[in-house]
Amino acid sequence: MWSNSWRLPVNSTGSNLPELPATPEIGLPLWLLAELTYRCPLQCPYCSNPLDFAQQGQELTTEQWKQVMRQAREMGAAQLGFSGGEPLVRQDLAELIGEARSLGYYTNLITSGIGLSEAKIEAFKQAGLDHIQISFQASDEEVNNLLAGSRKAFAQKLEMARAVKAHGYPMVLNFVTHRHNIDQIDRIIELCVALEADFVELATCQFYGWAHLNRAGLLPTRAQLERAERITNEYRARFEAEGRKVKLIFVTPDYYEERPKACMNSWGNIFLTVTPDGTALPCHGARQLPIAFPNVREHSLQHIWYDSFGFNRFRGYEWMPEPCRSCDEKEKDFGGCRCQAFMLTGDAAQADPVCSKSPHHGVILAAREEAEHATAPLSDLSYRNERNSRLIARG
């Protein structure tokens, strides 16, 4: 039962476990992610939105979002990401960008590019937007459009990427890679070169939300991953020799690591997400946890960040069971990802199974082995859309 995880662990003799380091001071919510909406014209099968997004509550109003931004800025927030779903669906986006600029935020629009236009880019620039990141599903038009669920998606993305560059923004592209497109990593990079990209995130799928549901069809093999990283490094060396400024960021999936990442730089330390209905989270995946997280409609961000149970649940080290509690790496990785621990063990207080020290590491090894033999085509994936979300919510 979940309630058992609230108890402080003891060792086999019944005595208290090893003395813990002092609980670190609570950091400032420097990075605010405003998930403006779960509405989206695309159907990516690796979306990080919750599976039951179609059942979530009413979106915050323009004024409520402005109040969130003001409160977070007063607490020290410096960077603001507008995300979703697809944030372009919100008709008040330019107004929210303008408010963020007046408050002194550095602002980032994270978008699929669907719904973007030259007129909107100009309006966002005048409002003070600092940064636009456009995501692609693949370098191949057919695969991109199949994953996106739109026959026009690829052409629109190309057009808008060029328009973003033409309006003086740095060209920042994101490709989520997985077993169905990672073998085209060279073509992906060549497309980025053709678009004069400045920064490219080659983000191998991380398995949360819809990606976790589709893991068997998305996790690449180790050989695929190693080949992709080798090719990326070859391009890096070539770009350096040619004096090109493009930066390639290659993100390895957790499932092929032996130690967990310091997720969000530890729980409730630097990162604050506010979801479309106002639920506040210490990371964008935490909504799935069996924790009653607070809502900005009912509480101030000051209370939420410093005093709420949800944001204090996994701060520090006192919550840790073994092997994390005795581990000399706990001040580096903070026990890893709580969402991943919950998804893979049913208990968010467990060690992240990615860690080879975890008693549950076998589930990661099994997933790697499954990837070696997976044959599921793209058509077998569960795509992110309202119909599927409602079906999942009904069980």
Side-chain angles (χ1 to χ4, degrees):
M1 296 291 291
W2 177 255
S3 58
N4 290 338
S5 67
W6 308 117
R7 301 171 186 167
L8 285 177
V10 295
N11 64 22
S12 59
T13 64
S15 61
N16 289 334
L17 284 167
E19 185 175 343
L20 294 167
T23 299
E25 291 186 10
I26 298 173
L28 298 176
L30 298 176
W31 216 109
L32 172 63
L33 182 65
E35 291 186 329
L36 299 180
T37 181
Y38 285 141
R39 290 175 289 158
C40 183
L42 302 186
Q43 60 167 18
C44 304
Y46 45 74
C47 181
S48 63
N49 286 167
L51 297 176
D52 63 349
F53 72 86
Q55 302 290 91
Q56 303 301 331
Q58 186 176 11
E59 293 175 7
L60 295 179
T61 66
T62 305
E63 289 307 313
Q64 287 170 327
W65 273 117
K66 287 181 178 181
Q67 184 62 24
V68 167
M69 291 190 287
R70 292 185 197 113
Q71 290 182 24
R73 189 75 182 105
E74 289 169 0
M75 294 170 62
Q79 184 159 333
L80 172 57
F82 293 109
S83 180
E86 174 49 68
L88 291 169
V89 173
R90 291 279 300 218
Q91 298 304 303
D92 56 357
L93 183 53
E95 184 177 350
L96 293 175
I97 291 168
E99 178 71 10
R101 167 49 64 94
S102 72
L103 292 168
Y105 280 103
Y106 180 90
T107 51
N108 180 23
L109 174 61
I110 305 164
T111 176
S112 68
I114 306 302
L116 195 57
S117 65
E118 293 241 15
K120 287 184 179 180
I121 295 172
E122 184 58 38
F124 297 159
K125 194 167 187 69
Q126 290 182 5
L129 184 65
D130 294 296
H131 180 123
I132 300 176
Q133 174 184 297
I134 294 182
S135 64
F136 279 77
Q137 281 69 35
S139 59
D140 175 86
E141 182 170 15
E142 182 179 357
V143 174
N144 186 102
N145 291 348
L146 177 61
L147 287 166
S150 168
R151 288 177 293 177
K152 300 179 180 179
F154 189 71
Q156 168 72 5
K157 288 169 182 288
L158 290 179
E159 182 182 355
M160 288 303 100
R162 296 186 180 107
V164 166
K165 183 81 172 181
H167 280 78
Y169 283 104
M171 172 62 66
V172 183
L173 302 178
N174 172 271
F175 284 80
V176 176
T177 59
H178 43 79
R179 68 181 300 113
H180 296 287
N181 68 0
I182 197 168
D183 291 332
Q184 285 75 51
I185 196 77
D186 52 345
R187 281 178 260 172
I188 289 173
I189 296 173
E190 289 293 345
L191 174 60
C192 295
V193 171
L195 292 172
E196 301 180 83
D198 298 291
F199 299 90
V200 179
E201 185 179 37
L202 303 167
T204 314
C205 208
Q206 302 289 356
F207 293 94
Y208 303 92
W210 292 81
H212 184 252
L213 179 68
N214 288 304
R215 188 185 70 194
L218 293 174
L219 183 65
T221 66
R222 183 181 291 278
Q224 284 184 300
L225 188 67
E226 290 176 348
R227 175 182 177 274
E229 189 165 19
R230 173 180 57 77
I231 290 173
T232 301
N233 286 333
E234 290 170 357
Y235 271 96
R236 285 172 175 158
R238 186 179 116 193
F239 292 162
E240 184 176 4
E242 295 173 353
R244 292 178 182 264
K245 300 296 185 182
V246 58
K247 183 174 182 180
L248 302 178
I249 302 167
F250 189 90
V251 182
T252 303
D254 291 358
Y255 279 55
Y256 285 100
E257 301 286 358
E258 297 302 319
R259 288 290 182 272
K261 61 179 178 287
C263 192
M264 297 294 133
N265 200 40
S266 86
W267 181 274
N269 182 53
I270 193 172
F271 191 87
L272 170 64
T273 294
V274 178
T275 68
D277 69 357
T279 302
L281 303 171
C283 76
H284 58 273
R287 191 164 198 158
Q288 67 189 297
L289 302 180
I291 296 174
F293 287 103
N295 193 291
V296 300
R297 300 178 197 264
E298 301 163 358
H299 303 283
S300 70
L301 284 186
Q302 183 85 14
H303 167 81
I304 287 169
W305 185 258
Y306 290 105
D307 302 319
S308 71
F309 175 78
F311 274 75
N312 282 292
R313 174 64 183 96
F314 295 112
R315 279 176 170 149
Y317 310 101
E318 290 79 6
W319 61 270
M320 290 182 174
E322 293 292 1
C324 297
R325 195 173 178 90
S326 298
C327 182
D328 59 5
E329 298 178 56
K330 63 177 169 287
E331 294 179 71
K332 296 179 182 178
D333 59 37
F334 311 103
C337 176
R338 297 303 88 222
C339 298
Q340 201 150 249
F342 178 71
M343 287 186 296
L344 298 178
T345 75
D347 183 355
Q350 286 291 324
D352 188 336
V354 163
C355 184
S356 62
K357 297 180 181 182
S358 166
H360 301 283
H361 188 57
V363 299
I364 296 295
L365 300 180
R368 294 178 192 171
E369 181 64 24
E370 181 184 38
E372 295 296 325
H373 306 287
T375 58
L378 283 172
S379 57
D380 284 357
L381 300 178
S382 294
Y383 286 85
R384 180 242 193 245
N385 54 52
E386 285 209 16
R387 176 181 175 276
N388 285 340
S389 178
R390 294 186 190 283
L391 288 172
I392 290 168
R394 289 202 296 265

